[in-house]
Amino acid sequence: MPTIEPYQRRWLLTFGTTLALLLSGAVALSLRLPSFREPAFNFYAMKPGEIFNVYGLTRRQEGSVKLGFAEAYPAPEIGLYGNHIVAYFGADAFGRPEDAEYFFNYYYANLSLPEIRRYLLRVAQLNHLPKKLILVQITPPNADNGGAIVDRGNELPPDIFLSSIKDDERSDRILPIVALSWELVSNWLHEILNYNTVIMSLFPSGGYEERTLNPANCHGTPPPAWLSHLPTQLQTKLGTYGGFRCVPRLWAGALRRDGSQRVPRDEDRMPLVQNENPLKESERALRTGDEHTIAREMRAIDAVGRRHGVKVVFLVPPVYETDRRESVVNRIFDRALALAPDVAIIDHREMRSDPKLFEGGIHASPRYYRILAEELRRRGFLE
Amino acid sequence: MNFNSLEFLVLLLPTTFVAFYVVPMQLRLWVLVVASLVFYGVSGPEVLLAFLIAILWGYATAFLFGRASRALAIVVAISVPALFLIMFKYFGFILDTVRAQPETRDHFWFFFSIVLPAGISFYTFEIVSYSLDVADKKIEPERDLLRFTSFATFFPHLIAGPIMRYADLRQQLQALQSTPILKPNIVSALKLLSIGLIFKIFVADFSGTRIAKASELPIEQLSGIDQLTEIAFWSVQIYYDFWAYSVMAIGLGRLFCVKLPVNFREPYLSRDPREFWQRWHVTLSYWLRDYVYIRMGGREAYVRNILIVFALVGLWHGAGWNFVAWGIYHAILVILYHVTAPAWDRLPRPIAVATTFTLVSFGWPLFFLSLEKYGMFLGHLVTAASWQTSVYRLYDWLYLLAIGVITFGLRERNWLYNEPTSRNPITDSPIVAALLMFVGLLSISLSRTFIYFRF
């Protein structure tokens, strides 16, 4: 053991006690944070035109709103599982605006394929898989430099992957217990030691009722003039905690009845940036060998659908970019698709240059989703 | 793995610390090597394998000196580490430069598809310096493979320096193996870790978010003030990113009773461009001085040698013409100072420091922009039609002012590297350190990879 002189000992004692108290406080605060998973929010009960405001929710809470819904209520005919990339994919793409009984968008944070597999396994256990078609979105490789495809972002609550272990075909990794323990601890750490979790638990910002509103009928307390002079982020935070529900800016990211995200108003729209991700080599998230992992994950997801008699179609939406087909991540992804010729996939990476098809550099627009829906119909996936 | 990750700070570091002080002294280096390999291995098995091969090669080929001709032994010793560096880091750049056809690239797909090994430039330089020092008989070849591996893998300096020489670490590593009771300076270590973490997140990475604010707009929409503010943020981001890593590395070294040198000695306080390079990434500057500049003849062909050395500095920082241009830009500054030194040295200190800082700052955008975009950036600045800010606000400038006060107004010897006898009431307080560590841990999700991580 090291020798520690008296001054160091006193210093360490104070440091350790203070840090331990603060960390205990963070853990205690995170425990009082409402889950937004139980009782589940019922999207089916929303009226057309209503939105579910997600401001002031942690990432985990926001995802839990949909996760709770997926667990508590049967899925409609078509269910879309993916991440924020497909946020604007609504039932209107099929000509059935906000028809949650036909199509629901279960997109959640930044889920990657392994997390979507676990999500689906959990839903399958509850017999809540979509009746006709499972759409699984894969993050286009050039959107996030290969990120959010097979890497895990600690997005799902740990009980989801614990509950699905016995059904999981992919529990074949070396040292599964070590890997699983590492993942559990890492998941827990990222949830507890998070400024968002602490802040949100200090300032609860409203339950289901306060969060459901119809923008057309919003006549709540108007926000004070000084609010509009503050930086945008501060406006939204203060607006949420101040209860100013009728601030349109607070509705950014709000969910519609079919689980899709409300398209931003023109004045809130960010400029459309081509090649939003510069694909820096130093930040590349796919490497050689990942093509096999991607292909295996796709097959495992496809198998979940097959076991329950539901067709699975994978979607790769486009990114607004120049011709970057030769990027390393794109080529690794090409190889992955070549390794899984047996699964159904709609790969639209080539539709990269028409700005009308995008809401942001990596988010396709409702116009694109109408084209996608048409292709699904044409290829017989909707029959 | 990175210093600014929860997995490192909450799991790997405490586990390694406890294991290091619990095991018998003969096993301490084993603990460090295992922890370092875990730290590095998270990046992937291929890069770990390449790293281990480079280490073993450096270790084994050192015994060639004295048995084969010196020149041949040097070529053999540095061949594999240098080849790895070229293939993993520079090969894409070389093929781009010669406009290689896609079919040519396909032959080398393996090298492109592996993620650039973290810290490859650092460990290559360390292994090469070891071989050259053995060749010059400055040190004896190390027979203890464990000790040599500890030198190359020691995680505090593995990813982003400082670039250590074997002679600097050998005795310290020997002491770890043979001193029954160690006396670590844990107080100083935790203080440096906390401060480094906070500066990384709230200065370097925050500045990065402010830069992104301007970068996502077309250049035509930026005013002159916006561009100058962006340059100021670049200067803050780059410096504090490197600085924070360096401070954390020194703190981590102290936790394990290993003294690492200060790599950034308040470089923005430099009076002239030459002094800047005596304060900025000191271990890299000395490495290039000792192994390149002096070997080429030093002052005998000053201008040529400075140009070559700084072009290498640029290339070392990144595989791209923008990095080469950045190096040449600094070479020109150093040569300019060399020519005008009598006049420059007569400038009042504040003016000399401000001039140096401004000149250095105008080079930083080359770290992030291609040559073409940098040209457009400067062109737009010179011809700026508007000086009405469209991106930045008062709070951005207040923030920069606060950072300016810390950078130019405080001396690190008074608050960071102060002696135990002159304690700073704020930075040496255990409560402040605990608060900083807590806030740092909570905010890690805001943090980004260290810029030097892939150098």
Side-chain angles (χ1 to χ4, degrees):
Chain A
M1 289 303 284
T3 302
I4 301 172
E5 58 186 47
Y7 165 71
Q8 285 213 55
R9 207 170 295 146
R10 281 196 306 277
W11 194 98
L12 282 174
L13 191 67
T14 316
F15 174 88
T17 311
T18 312
L19 190 58
L21 280 173
L22 291 168
L23 291 175
S24 312
V27 174
L29 281 172
S30 72
L31 291 176
R32 56 171 262 185
L33 203 61
S35 81
F36 281 85
R37 191 169 155 199
E38 268 185 42
F41 179 71
N42 184 1
F43 281 87
Y44 292 137
M46 285 172 80
K47 296 180 186 70
E50 281 188 339
I51 57 169
F52 182 86
N53 190 359
V54 295
Y55 252 106
L57 295 184
T58 66
R59 210 176 160 83
R60 178 67 60 83
Q61 282 177 316
E62 190 179 332
S64 294
V65 175
K66 284 191 180 168
L67 182 58
F69 174 68
E71 289 174 317
Y73 299 95
E77 294 183 29
I78 306 170
L80 169 63
Y81 300 84
N83 58 39
H84 69 93
I85 296 280
V86 281
Y88 302 116
F89 191 171
D92 42 357
F94 300 96
R96 307 171 74 144
E98 299 190 66
D99 186 351
E101 286 76 9
Y102 180 70
F103 168 89
F104 194 85
N105 185 339
Y106 291 94
Y107 90 85
Y108 179 139
N110 221 2
L111 293 190
S112 58
L113 286 174
E115 289 168 316
I116 292 173
R117 170 173 47 80
R118 288 164 165 177
Y119 194 140
L120 285 171
L121 284 168
R122 170 73 180 148
V123 175
Q125 279 176 349
L126 300 166
N127 257 334
H128 283 174
L129 281 176
K131 295 170 191 70
K132 270 190 179 169
L133 182 64
I134 297 171
L135 297 173
V136 174
Q137 167 252 321
I138 307 177
T139 306
N142 287 351
D144 198 17
N145 206 358
I149 298 178
V150 284
D151 51 338
R152 295 188 189 90
N154 295 304
E155 304 281 19
L156 285 175
D159 66 285
I160 294 295
F161 51 90
L162 285 175
S163 67
S164 59
I165 282 178
K166 63 178 170 54
D167 301 331
D168 196 348
E169 287 181 2
R170 291 277 296 114
S171 302
D172 55 355
R173 286 167 298 168
I174 308 164
L175 295 175
I177 293 172
V178 175
L180 189 69
S181 312
W182 173 266
E183 202 173 341
L184 280 174
V185 172
S186 171
N187 188 303
W188 183 78
L189 278 177
H190 282 273
E191 184 58 15
I192 304 294
L193 290 180
N194 188 315
Y195 73 100
N196 236 344
T197 307
V198 172
I199 293 174
M200 303 302 184
S201 55
L202 280 172
F203 306 101
S205 54
Y208 293 147
E209 204 173 312
E210 294 98 313
R211 290 180 172 279
T212 312
L213 59 96
N214 189 329
N217 308 324
C218 198
H219 304 298
T221 320
W226 53 263
L227 198 65
S228 61
H229 298 301
L230 296 174
T232 313
Q233 281 191 326
L234 212 53
Q235 273 186 50
T236 50
K237 292 271 185 284
L238 290 176
T240 306
Y241 299 127
F244 306 117
R245 300 167 67 223
C246 291
V247 183
R249 192 165 272 162
L250 296 185
W251 303 333
L255 302 173
R256 301 192 302 170
R257 188 172 180 272
D258 56 12
S260 67
Q261 198 180 110
R262 191 169 175 268
V263 176
R265 303 175 309 161
D266 284 344
E267 53 267 47
D268 294 334
R269 197 162 277 159
M270 296 294 286
L272 191 58
V273 180
Q274 207 170 26
N275 301 339
E276 194 173 287
N277 191 310
L279 304 183
K280 282 186 192 164
E281 184 55 29
S282 59
E283 291 170 4
R284 175 151 63 86
L286 277 187
R287 59 172 178 243
T288 191
D290 283 341
E291 58 267 39
H292 299 287
T293 315
I294 296 170
R296 276 200 303 266
E297 289 291 347
M298 289 172 73
R299 284 212 193 87
I301 290 173
D302 191 56
V304 176
R306 265 188 284 111
R307 278 204 298 274
H308 293 84
V310 188
K311 182 76 190 160
V312 176
V313 176
F314 291 88
L315 310 174
V316 189
V319 167
Y320 184 48
E321 60 180 346
T322 51
D323 185 354
R324 301 195 292 177
R325 276 176 291 191
E326 289 303 311
S327 74
V328 177
V329 286
N330 207 47
R331 293 187 63 190
I332 292 175
F333 190 71
D334 284 341
R335 287 170 178 239
L337 298 191
L339 290 170
D342 43 330
V343 299
I345 182 153
I346 295 182
D347 180 3
H348 278 163
R349 282 176 289 166
E350 285 298 308
M351 295 171 72
R352 60 176 182 265
S353 50
D354 182 356
K356 292 192 192 78
L357 300 184
F358 299 91
E359 271 303 320
I362 57 173
H363 296 114
S365 66
R367 183 189 288 233
Y368 162 74
Y369 292 115
R370 285 197 289 277
I371 296 171
L372 174 63
E374 185 50 42
E375 181 164 344
L376 285 167
R377 194 171 290 123
R378 203 173 55 243
R379 289 175 61 176
F381 293 127
L382 299 184
E383 286 158 12
Chain B
M1 199 178 277
N2 249 310
F3 292 167
N4 56 338
S5 67
L6 286 178
E7 287 78 3
F8 174 72
L9 288 169
V10 182
L11 298 175
L12 184 63
L13 182 59
T15 312
T16 309
F17 180 78
V18 171
F20 181 80
Y21 286 104
V22 165
V23 299
M25 58 187 176
Q26 298 84 349
L27 295 181
R28 284 179 189 143
L29 292 189
W30 277 108
V31 171
L32 289 182
V33 167
V34 170
S36 300
L37 294 181
V38 170
F39 179 81
Y40 196 78
V42 171
S43 300
E46 302 89 0
V47 295
L48 180 63
L49 185 65
F51 183 35
L52 290 174
I53 291 172
I55 292 171
L56 288 174
W57 188 265
Y59 169 79
T61 53
F63 297 104
L64 282 178
F65 294 101
R67 296 178 193 187
S69 84
R70 184 176 179 276
L72 178 68
I74 289 178
V75 170
V76 172
I78 67 174
S79 60
V80 166
L83 185 69
F84 282 173
L85 183 64
I86 290 168
M87 293 310 286
F88 286 123
K89 183 167 176 177
Y90 297 108
F91 201 58
F93 169 59
I94 293 168
L95 292 184
D96 284 346
T97 304
V98 299
R99 297 176 191 276
Q101 295 299 308
E103 303 82 60
T104 313
R105 287 171 182 278
D106 286 344
H107 292 306
F108 301 99
W109 168 250
F110 175 77
F111 292 98
F112 295 124
S113 59
I114 287 182
V115 173
L116 178 66
I120 187 167
S121 304
F122 288 92
Y123 75 67
T124 303
F125 272 34
E126 285 174 342
I127 293 169
V128 167
S129 80
Y130 167 74
S131 302
L132 294 176
D133 285 351
V134 173
D136 292 344
K137 297 194 166 64
K138 287 182 187 167
I139 52 171
E140 287 290 311
E142 176 60 72
R143 295 194 174 277
D144 185 340
L145 177 60
L146 175 65
R147 203 180 300 145
F148 182 73
T149 309
S150 316
F151 152 72
T153 61
F154 186 49
F155 66 84
H157 76 103
L158 171 58
I159 302 293
I163 300 170
M164 300 298 293
R165 314 278 177 94
Y166 193 57
D168 300 330
L169 269 187
R170 182 185 218 162
Q171 279 192 328
Q172 298 194 64
L173 296 173
Q174 265 173 344
L176 297 184
Q177 288 175 303
S178 58
T179 310
I181 295 178
L182 296 169
K183 292 180 181 171
N185 190 347
I186 302 176
V187 168
S188 163
L190 292 175
K191 169 188 161 182
L192 294 178
L193 263 181
S194 313
I195 291 175
L197 184 62
I198 284 293
F199 271 76
K200 166 65 180 156
I201 299 170
F202 292 101
V203 181
D205 292 331
F206 177 77
S207 298
T209 64
R210 303 314 294 159
I211 293 163
K213 194 92 180 145
S215 302
E216 64 197 21
L217 291 176
I219 187 91
E220 302 79 37
Q221 287 185 27
L222 299 181
S223 71
I225 289 284
D226 290 326
Q227 286 186 279
L228 290 177
T229 310
E230 195 179 6
I231 290 175
F233 271 120
W234 264 316
S235 305
V236 171
Q237 185 200 18
I238 291 178
Y239 172 51
Y240 278 105
D241 196 280
F242 299 165
W243 180 91
Y245 188 94
S246 187
V247 167
M248 291 180 84
I250 293 168
L252 289 166
R254 289 183 185 180
L255 269 185
F256 299 99
C257 296
V258 173
K259 198 173 173 192
L260 298 177
V262 176
N263 214 12
F264 292 87
R265 298 179 186 159
E266 301 174 312
Y268 285 159
L269 294 179
S270 306
R271 283 185 57 99
D272 56 71
R274 193 177 65 185
E275 187 187 345
F276 177 80
W277 282 98
Q278 289 163 351
R279 290 163 167 262
W280 179 275
H281 206 324
V282 179
T283 54
L284 173 67
S285 298
Y286 288 166
W287 195 100
L288 288 163
R289 182 197 64 186
D290 294 346
Y291 298 109
V292 182
Y293 177 72
I294 290 175
R295 281 162 199 261
M296 286 195 312
R299 283 183 165 265
E300 281 172 21
Y302 185 76
V303 172
R304 183 203 69 184
N305 291 347
I306 286 291
L307 281 168
I308 292 173
V309 165
F310 275 96
L312 283 176
V313 168
L315 265 183
W316 183 88
H317 279 88
W321 287 111
N322 53 323
F323 286 102
V324 176
W326 174 76
I328 300 285
Y329 172 74
H330 273 272
I332 292 168
L333 293 185
V334 170
I335 293 166
L336 183 73
Y337 168 72
H338 183 70
V339 175
T340 62
W344 196 307
D345 291 344
R346 278 200 300 276
L347 289 173
R349 183 170 178 79
I351 293 176
V353 169
T355 307
T356 307
F357 173 72
T358 307
L359 289 171
V360 167
S361 294
F362 269 84
W364 290 135
L366 278 168
F367 252 61
F368 302 93
L369 304 177
S370 65
L371 276 178
E372 187 192 359
K373 284 191 174 162
Y374 183 67
M376 283 166 58
F377 183 86
L378 284 190
H380 185 70
L381 179 61
V382 172
T383 58
S386 159
W387 287 86
Q388 290 275 321
T389 176
S390 57
V391 178
Y392 295 110
R393 298 282 178 269
L394 180 63
Y395 49 83
D396 287 303
W397 299 312
L398 289 176
Y399 175 81
L400 284 172
L401 182 68
I403 300 301
V405 168
I406 293 171
T407 310
F408 296 102
L410 303 180
R411 299 307 303 266
E412 288 176 5
R413 62 169 181 263
N414 296 329
W415 66 279
L416 191 67
Y417 299 121
N418 47 321
E419 295 296 320
T421 47
S422 58
R423 285 179 197 136
N424 183 298
I426 298 171
T427 56
D428 285 316
S429 156
I431 294 175
V432 171
L435 270 171
L436 293 183
M437 181 59 82
F438 176 68
V439 173
L441 289 174
L442 284 193
S443 314
I444 266 179
S445 59
L446 297 172
S447 196
R448 295 183 65 95
T449 307
F450 283 98
I451 295 175
Y452 262 130
F453 187 67
R454 300 284 179 193
F455 276 16

